[in-house]
């Protein structure tokens, strides 16, 4: 579960090279081309976008669109400004309009992919990044965002491949190391994840997110004694982080249970029941009963024979 978290850093990445964007060449009347309708408003919008004045940028891009609604770059610019303002439906509509005007416009696909990522529509984000890469196979932003979509779809091995590709092209892109570590965790390749988090901490020892994530990865490996220092360091940097505090407590409990001495007392066997003494009746054999009856009969017969010939004594009782 791992789910992936697409954070607001997409906004910064999404505004890649806006200042270098030139309005796409479209078929338009010669007079309109010469006039360059909307170009000045578009240029001003790009400047505002670069200075992070997003609301004003939207206004200028809208003016450019009203002056010339056939330029996909005008919609792209407004799309990125709306995205920065977290107006994702509006941004998606702008990027879709740009794609309608210019189906081969790679930038619009990348922009719309970011919108889908924020909406957790990973399948559509994947489709847009794939389309962007068909148009420009070496576009780093498209590769990176495809990795995000693959994370959302739990396609861990593909995400690792894409993030590794980005790192090879941009070794200083620290965020990609973090995302690759998450993909490695999904593959249960914990050692590789630890290596990425350690790299991030070498670059920035006070990176609390990298500390807590490395600590969590150690705990997944059952290496609680290594997880605890990471959590403790993170809490020193951010004492109000209740989630990390709870993880620390849980990990300390797991370590104590792991180190607790095992009981050496042997299991006592269940006592055997003492046989009951047989009752008198159960000791009497039926044969003995028969013999006893026969003996009694013989005694009666003998007594009868002895007393048969004797006269009865006269009673002394007077009647």
């Amino acid at each position: 579960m791992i789910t992936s978290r697409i954070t607001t850093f997409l906004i910064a990445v999404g505004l890649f090279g806006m200042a270098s964007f030139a309005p796409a060449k479209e078929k338009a009347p010669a007079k309109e081309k010469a006039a360059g309708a909307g170009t000045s408003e578009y240029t001003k919008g790009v400047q505002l976008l670069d200075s992070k004045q997003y609301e004003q940028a939207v206004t200028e891009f809208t003016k450019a669109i009203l002056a010339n609604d056939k330029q996909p770059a005008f919609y792209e610019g407004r799309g990125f400004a709306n995205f920065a303002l977290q107006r994702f439906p509006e941004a998606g509509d702008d990027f879709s309009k740009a794609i309608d005007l210019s189906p081969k416009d790679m930038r619009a696909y990348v922009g719309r992919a970011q919108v889908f990522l924020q909406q957790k529509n990973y399948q559509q984000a994947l489709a847009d990044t794939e389309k962007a890469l068909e148009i420009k196979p070496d576009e780093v932003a498209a590769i990176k965002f495809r990795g995000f979509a693959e994370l959302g779809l739990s396609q861990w091995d593909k995400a690792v491949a894409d993030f590794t590709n980005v790192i090879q092209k941009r070794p200083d892109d620290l965020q990609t190391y973090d995302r690759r570590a998450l993909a490695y965790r999904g593959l249960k390749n914990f050692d590789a994840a630890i290596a990425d988090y350690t790299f991030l901490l070498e670059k920035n020892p006070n990176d609390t997110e990298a500390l807590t994530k490395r600590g969590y990865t150690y705990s997944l490996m059952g290496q609680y004694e290594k997880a605890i220092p990471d959590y403790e360091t993170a809490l020193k940097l951010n004492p109000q982080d209740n989630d990390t505090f709870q993880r620390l407590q849980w990990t300390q409990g797991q370590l104590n249970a792991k180190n607790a001495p095992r009981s050496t007392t042997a299991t006592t066997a269940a006592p055997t029941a003492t046989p009951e003494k047989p009752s008198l009746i159960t000791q009497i054999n039926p044969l003995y009963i028969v013999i006893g009856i026969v003996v009694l009969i013989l005694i009666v017969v003998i007594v009868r024979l002895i007393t048969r010939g004797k006269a009865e004594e006269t009673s002394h009782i007077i009647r």
Side-chain angles (χ1 to χ4, degrees), residues 23-26 28-44 60 63-71 74:
K25 294 180 179 180
E26 301 293 336
K31 185 176 180 181
E32 187 177 63
K33 282 187 177 182
T39 302
S40 61
E41 292 86 351
Y42 169 78
T43 302
K44 187 175 180 181
E60 292 302 319
K63 289 179 182 179
I65 291 169
L66 291 173
N68 183 357
D69 62 356
K70 301 300 181 183
Q71 284 287 355
F74 297 175

Side-chain angles (χ1 to χ4, degrees), residues 39-287:
T39 302
S40 61
E41 292 86 351
Y42 169 78
T43 302
K44 187 175 180 181
V46 170
Q47 293 171 348
L48 291 165
L49 191 62
D50 287 344
S51 62
K52 299 183 179 180
Q53 299 179 58
Y54 303 125
E55 199 68 66
Q56 296 90 326
V58 167
T59 299
E60 292 302 319
F61 287 131
T62 300
K63 289 179 182 179
I65 291 169
L66 291 173
N68 183 357
D69 62 356
K70 301 300 181 183
Q71 284 287 355
F74 297 175
Y75 290 97
E76 288 167 14
R78 191 171 69 177
F80 284 117
N82 276 322
F83 185 89
L85 292 167
Q86 299 186 26
R87 297 171 183 167
F88 302 127
E90 291 87 346
D93 290 342
D94 281 336
F95 292 130
S96 293
K97 181 62 177 179
I99 290 170
D100 289 341
L101 290 171
S102 179
K104 294 293 185 181
D105 191 337
M106 179 274 301
R107 298 185 298 266
Y109 285 107
V110 172
R112 193 170 67 176
Q114 294 177 80
V115 173
F116 285 136
L117 287 172
Q118 286 289 350
Q119 296 171 337
K120 294 183 170 52
N121 189 343
Y122 302 119
Q123 198 65 55
Q124 288 298 321
L126 182 63
D128 272 357
T129 54
E130 293 280 10
K131 188 65 179 179
L133 289 167
E134 288 177 10
I135 299 167
K136 189 178 179 183
D138 61 346
E139 178 53 50
V140 178
I143 297 170
K144 184 171 183 176
F145 293 140
R146 183 172 67 179
F148 291 151
E150 289 160 347
L151 278 182
L153 295 170
S154 300
Q155 297 177 5
W156 312 118
D157 52 345
K158 293 181 179 179
V160 166
D162 275 339
F163 292 139
T164 300
N165 191 356
V166 172
I167 288 169
Q168 289 171 348
K169 296 177 185 296
R170 295 180 181 173
D172 294 331
D173 185 351
L174 301 184
Q175 184 64 35
T176 303
Y177 289 91
D178 176 84
R179 298 293 88 187
R180 186 174 69 173
L182 178 59
Y184 276 135
R185 273 195 352 221
L187 289 170
K188 300 190 185 305
N189 187 348
F190 300 127
D191 288 332
I194 291 294
D196 276 346
Y197 290 133
T198 300
F199 175 83
L200 291 174
L201 289 166
E202 288 171 353
K203 294 290 184 180
N204 180 12
N206 294 331
D207 186 343
T208 55
E209 282 198 19
L211 282 165
T212 55
K213 289 174 182 178
R214 188 174 70 173
Y216 178 68
T217 305
Y218 277 132
S219 70
L220 291 175
M221 301 168 72
Q223 297 182 12
Y224 307 117
E225 64 282 356
K226 293 183 179 179
I228 289 173
D230 278 349
Y231 288 144
E232 290 176 335
T233 303
L235 283 171
K236 287 180 182 178
L237 295 168
N238 183 12
Q240 306 303 318
D241 188 348
N242 189 54
D243 288 341
T244 299
F245 178 73
Q246 290 180 352
R247 289 191 182 101
L248 174 61
Q249 286 189 316
W250 181 88
T251 304
Q252 288 172 332
Q254 293 297 112
L255 182 61
N256 291 337
K258 179 181 176 181
N259 295 334
R262 296 184 179 180
S263 176
T264 57
T265 305
T267 303
T268 305
T272 304
T274 304
E276 293 183 1
K277 293 182 179 181
S279 64
L280 182 59
I281 294 176
T282 59
Q283 297 182 59
I284 298 175
N285 193 305
L287 178 61

